[in-house]
Amino acid sequence: MRCFTRILFAMLALALLPAGPARAANNDPVVLVHGFLGFGPEAFPTSGYLYWGGYHDIAGHLRLYKGPRTVFTATVGAISSNWDRAAELYAQIKGGCVDYGLNHSRTPLPGQEQKPFGKCWAADPTNNPQGYPLALYPAWDAAHPLHFIGHSQGGTTLRALVELLEHGAPGEGDGELYQGGKTGWVRSVTTLSAPHNGTTLRDAVLDILPQLRSPLRDLIEADFQRWELAPDGARDFNLWARTSPHVYYFSVGTLATEAGAWCCNGTDRAIAPIQSSNHQYPRVDMIPYFKTYAGEWIVPSVRQHGMGGYMQSAPGRVRVDSEWFANDGVVNTASMRAPAGHPVREFDGTPVRGTWNFLGNYRGYDHFDILNWPNKGPSADPIYERISDIIFGL
């Protein structure tokens, strides 16, 4: 009886203790992967400007939010293909030198080096005679998995990485990445504003009025690897980069345009004073440069449709209709939800592996508001906190 009484009092005492923070189901490290034209944390050392946060530090915020957490910020090719970026990401995390693959190095870029000299990371800081930068997480394997968060092309890069990790690529040589069989190395993939089905920005700028010149057009035209970021190329990429049944996938959409109205819809009326309810127009708080391409017309041209009005239905190409009009200034919002033909569901609070758990479209966030770049848009901190709560609860 005395023993039972002591146990009862002990249970009551524990029940009356102040509740502490909920214990995370896992504390696996997170890797942040930037998008097209992105840069690493050392790119602007004097200004302190960061891709992930602008003058604010998203990685630092995630490390402390209900932490401590381990959060790495990766640096991959700014204008490289998803394949090349995945190869660089693997070497940067695991350690070793980049291997782009034997056959891949021959096409689509003949002359590309399979194993470029010096593009290496050291897995062992005590054995690094070349002075290479240290690998982010050499312990990475199925027993030490990672969470990944990718913005824009960073999201499609992560899909290429998962495909290569799990299925490899026959004929690409003896590189570890191309051997496949690395199931369980990735616990979760979260994509922010990712062009899973491509973006019509490239088509709108290039296809309709080829003589129109702009810095953005010249950059896109010069780098033909961006084909996989356009709808037609994304269709082929989606057939190759499968959704793994072993990975938790989450996606976030951003929306910075509004349907046309005669007044009072929060759009920039200087850019688009006359509007049609059938088309989309940039919000007044969108980053100014992208306003010129995001609406019904490309400004100053009134004869070329922008993302908010561009359609095409040519034989053999991906059909682009009004569902593509809404966008965040760079990527069509409908494209951010999930790759076409892959499983997807609305997130209901219960994550499911092997399908895209869609976390919703965040209205009023343009393509860089989601990164907390200086602008009039809302803070993205609550979005990252929500993601953190989800992935560390897996």
Side-chain angles (χ1 to χ4, degrees):
M1 182 65 182
R2 289 181 179 178
C3 181
F4 174 78
T5 304
R6 284 198 296 268
I7 293 173
L8 181 60
F9 275 114
M11 293 175 64
L12 288 172
L14 287 172
L16 293 173
L17 286 174
R23 187 177 182 85
N26 74 85
N27 202 21
D28 299 321
V30 177
V31 179
L32 305 179
V33 182
H34 65 72
F36 182 74
L37 294 180
F39 48 88
E42 308 301 328
F44 303 104
T46 56
S47 69
Y49 196 87
L50 301 171
Y51 183 88
W52 293 95
Y55 293 110
H56 174 71
D57 186 359
I58 289 173
H61 182 65
L62 286 174
R63 291 184 186 110
L64 296 177
Y65 176 72
K66 297 184 181 178
R69 313 287 190 197
T70 301
V71 181
F72 301 109
T73 304
T75 307
V76 293
I79 57 172
S80 300
S81 67
N82 287 320
W83 178 296
D84 288 0
R85 287 159 59 96
E88 294 167 8
L89 187 57
Y90 178 80
Q92 186 175 164
I93 297 170
K94 188 67 177 171
C97 299
V98 172
D99 182 347
Y100 292 118
L102 184 62
N103 288 331
H104 178 77
S105 298
R106 297 171 181 157
T107 56
L109 293 177
Q112 179 187 28
E113 293 185 59
Q114 179 187 352
K115 301 177 181 180
F117 176 76
K119 205 164 189 177
C120 308
W121 288 263
D124 183 356
T126 65
N127 183 22
N128 184 18
Q130 294 86 3
Y132 292 137
L134 299 181
L136 299 180
Y137 194 58
W140 185 28
D141 59 19
H144 304 87
L146 291 170
H147 298 287
F148 287 92
I149 300 175
H151 172 249
S152 195
Q153 192 190 2
T156 51
T157 296
L158 294 176
R159 292 174 49 210
L161 178 65
V162 171
E163 174 66 27
L164 291 171
L165 285 171
E166 296 194 357
H167 300 284
E172 294 296 346
D174 59 358
E176 290 183 2
L177 178 60
Y178 306 117
Q179 305 312 305
K182 298 176 179 60
T183 300
W185 286 40
V186 176
R187 186 180 290 274
S188 74
V189 167
T190 302
T191 64
L192 310 172
S193 313
H196 291 300
N197 301 307
T199 169
T200 60
L201 176 59
R202 175 189 179 275
D203 289 350
V205 173
L206 292 184
D207 288 1
I208 300 179
L209 194 62
Q211 65 268 30
L212 178 69
R213 309 308 306 179
S214 73
L216 178 62
R217 184 192 190 282
D218 294 342
L219 178 63
I220 293 173
E221 190 176 47
D223 181 22
F224 74 91
Q225 286 194 80
R226 290 197 77 247
W227 66 270
E228 61 190 357
L229 300 186
D232 297 330
R235 175 179 55 188
D236 296 334
F237 179 75
N238 290 343
L239 294 175
W240 173 72
R242 290 163 280 188
T243 294
S244 167
H246 311 288
V247 176
Y248 289 100
Y249 293 90
F250 305 94
S251 59
V252 170
T254 44
L255 174 60
T257 59
E258 301 287 347
W262 69 275
C263 83
C264 316
N265 60 352
T267 61
D268 190 333
R269 311 301 295 202
I271 291 287
I274 301 175
Q275 300 183 1
S276 163
S277 60
N278 296 323
H279 296 95
Q280 292 276 318
Y281 300 88
R283 290 175 54 88
V284 70
D285 54 4
M286 180 184 286
I287 289 179
Y289 182 77
F290 294 106
K291 291 180 183 179
T292 61
Y293 300 97
E296 179 185 5
W297 304 102
I298 289 181
V299 178
S301 171
V302 293
R303 300 179 60 185
Q304 179 177 351
H305 282 292
M307 295 176 68
Y310 173 79
M311 295 190 294
Q312 72 84 23
S313 56
R317 300 190 62 189
V318 172
R319 177 183 174 85
V320 176
D321 56 22
S322 60
E323 295 296 318
W324 290 74
F325 288 172
N327 65 85
D328 69 355
V330 176
V331 177
N332 310 79
T333 302
S335 182
M336 304 173 190
R337 176 181 169 87
H342 293 224
V344 60
R345 62 190 289 272
E346 302 293 327
F347 182 65
D348 60 3
T350 302
V352 176
R353 278 194 184 98
T355 188
W356 286 86
N357 297 272
F358 180 55
L359 303 183
N361 292 322
Y362 282 79
R363 183 176 292 275
Y365 288 81
D366 69 29
H367 200 67
F368 297 101
D369 287 334
I370 195 70
L371 296 173
N372 275 337
W373 283 22
N375 193 34
K376 297 177 182 179
S379 170
D381 284 353
I383 300 175
Y384 291 96
E385 291 169 2
R386 182 187 181 197
I387 293 169
S388 181
D389 288 338
I390 293 171
I391 63 176
F392 288 117
L394 296 175

